[in-house]
Amino acid sequence: MSQRSPSRRVVPLPLGLGVGFGLLAAVGLGFDLSVPESVDWEAASISGIAVERAGGLVVQDRRGDVIWATIGFTIYRSEGNGPFEKLETLRPKPSEAWAGYSATFRHLFRYQELVELLAISNTELIAFAGGEAFRVDVSNGAAERVHELRYFGRGIGRGLMPHGLTVDDAGTLYYGEYPTRKMGADDTVRIYRSADQGRSWEIAHEFAGNFVRHIHAVQWDPHGRALWVATGDTDAESRIGYSEDRGESFTWIGSGDQQFRAVSLLFLEESVTWAMDSPVVESRIVRWRRATGVVETSEQALPSPGYYARAIDGKSGLVTLAERDAAVLLISGSSFQTLFRWQVEPDPERPHPAVRLLRSSTPSDPRTLLINPLRTERESAAVYRLRVADAL
């Protein structure tokens, strides 16, 4: 498929009627719209383990010793062991999403994840915010609007999920759409790709709206060298599969059951593993063996659905629980154990507690882990950095 979206240069956005109720309320109530110039790492501990903590941040991506994170619509970068320095603030088109410029609004509505960002290099990024994709070069402050999302806004969609954005070993970028409105047979849900570092986007694959409701994950598998997709939400809409032709076609390893409802996938040498994301049945750890294609489900149930996953090495990795729990699990082979847990106060009417991890598009640092609890009793948002040896 070859439908492409043209690039558009960013122009200053005036305050106006299009700002929506969010920014008007923020200004009217005198909310603080500022963000810090830098965020330092400070000594802390979790479960008796010494860690470093950077408060207020949503972790995004890492390339080598460079870590990317966000606060609201603002992008931060930490190099080496240095603090997170403020770089650029994105300016999506005026909408209710502009309420995210207010720290008070973000805290009030417990919504921190306003940007999904993937590093193309140590200075260039592709960032999704407010229903638009931006190509950002932090070396010269340039931000270019390159794509508009079809499903974004209240009652429409959230654009994409955190693990719905990835890059393959050839440098091609991908993202999957996440509508939230009711979909029909005439609607479509797409995977887009970009072969020119985010400057333009084309349709890689298009699903019927009655085949999947939305795309949870689009991830690159470095062991199988394939593009994987996970969808939801009902039994009929839940499926997991892979593509060996850059998203043109998919081979499904399973569908039609809640065990194939996943938000992210963990790629290990011998298996693809995930924690079920199901509020309607007991969630469990599910494992697809590469050698045989056999799907195995853990006997032990999880206390809550799983959201995020990331490999530590070829043999083990982390998955995290959300909604009724906020925990980090270590997965090794067919077994798992809880490493860390935060107290939560679930609110079904607001975004769920979760523990976010780096998306799986770039290799892990074998020495350190980055763990990002969100909406827990103690943390609205914070990034923890700790040594792998201490965690395990």
Side-chain angles (χ1 to χ4, degrees), residues 261 263 274-286 298 300-308 319-329 336 338 341-342 344-347 352-355:
R261 178 175 171 178
V263 172
W274 61 92
M276 291 165 54
D277 163 45
S278 179
V280 297
V281 300
E282 285 187 322
S283 289
R284 298 177 187 271
I285 298 295
V286 185
S298 66
Q300 182 181 353
L302 301 173
S304 195
Y307 273 17
Y308 299 99
V319 299
T320 68
L321 305 184
E323 299 188 16
R324 301 183 300 274
D325 200 353
V328 180
L329 307 183
F336 63 91
T338 302
R341 173 170 275 116
W342 284 263
V344 301
E345 292 183 356
D347 184 343
H352 298 302
V355 184

Side-chain angles (χ1 to χ4, degrees), residues 119-181:
I120 301 170
S121 70
N122 284 347
T123 60
E124 296 173 299
L125 316 167
I126 188 73
F128 290 77
E132 298 177 286
F134 297 81
R135 195 176 188 280
V136 182
D137 187 341
V138 298
S139 66
N140 58 20
E144 182 182 9
R145 284 194 184 95
V146 293
H147 183 64
E148 186 168 351
L149 280 66
R150 296 195 301 162
Y151 300 113
F152 183 83
R154 186 164 43 158
I156 301 171
R158 60 169 291 171
L160 74 164
M161 291 284 276
H163 278 287
L165 172 64
T166 195
V167 59
D168 68 17
D169 59 355
T172 300
L173 306 173
Y174 303 85
Y175 87 88
E177 294 182 315
Y178 192 89
T180 54
R181 67 173 175 81

Side-chain angles (χ1 to χ4, degrees), residues 266-275 284-290 294-299 310-319 329-337 392:
L266 175 63
F267 300 110
L268 303 176
E269 291 174 358
E270 296 182 354
S271 69
V272 178
T273 301
W274 61 92
R284 298 177 187 271
I285 298 295
V286 185
R287 184 186 190 202
W288 176 78
R289 287 185 174 270
R290 295 182 187 274
V294 172
V295 176
E296 304 168 336
T297 304
S298 66
E299 294 184 4
R310 184 170 174 87
I312 296 174
D313 52 34
K315 304 294 185 183
S316 63
L318 305 178
V319 299
L329 307 183
L330 172 66
I331 305 294
S332 181
S334 58
S335 64
F336 63 91
Q337 66 183 86
L392 307 185

Side-chain angles (χ1 to χ4, degrees), residues 73-123:
F73 289 110
T74 301
I75 299 168
Y76 288 78
R77 181 178 62 190
S78 169
E79 298 185 74
N81 294 316
F84 284 92
E85 302 290 351
K86 176 184 174 182
L87 297 176
E88 302 291 335
T89 298
L90 299 175
R91 296 284 188 265
K93 60 185 178 182
S95 72
E96 292 178 353
W98 273 29
Y101 287 115
S102 162
T104 305
F105 248 91
R106 294 194 301 272
H107 178 75
L108 180 65
F109 289 98
R110 297 174 45 163
Y111 205 85
Q112 307 294 331
E113 305 98 304
L114 299 174
V115 175
E116 298 298 340
L117 175 157
L118 187 66
I120 301 170
S121 70
N122 284 347
T123 60

Side-chain angles (χ1 to χ4, degrees), residues 147-226:
H147 183 64
E148 186 168 351
L149 280 66
R150 296 195 301 162
Y151 300 113
F152 183 83
R154 186 164 43 158
I156 301 171
R158 60 169 291 171
L160 74 164
M161 291 284 276
H163 278 287
L165 172 64
T166 195
V167 59
D168 68 17
D169 59 355
T172 300
L173 306 173
Y174 303 85
Y175 87 88
E177 294 182 315
Y178 192 89
T180 54
R181 67 173 175 81
K182 185 176 180 181
M183 305 293 284
D186 294 334
D187 295 311
T188 60
V189 181
R190 296 171 178 171
I191 296 174
Y192 283 89
R193 70 185 172 214
S194 171
D196 56 6
Q197 296 189 320
R199 293 178 176 86
S200 62
W201 294 81
E202 65 180 7
I203 302 169
H205 199 92
E206 193 165 45
F207 300 106
N210 60 353
F211 186 69
V212 303
R213 183 186 181 193
H214 44 220
I215 296 171
H216 289 164
V218 179
Q219 296 175 254
W220 177 250
D221 174 7
H223 302 290
R225 300 188 70 240

Side-chain angles (χ1 to χ4, degrees), residues 33-47:
L33 305 181
S34 65
V35 293
E37 292 298 315
S38 67
V39 179
D40 289 323
W41 293 101
E42 53 189 32
S45 67
I46 50 175
S47 301

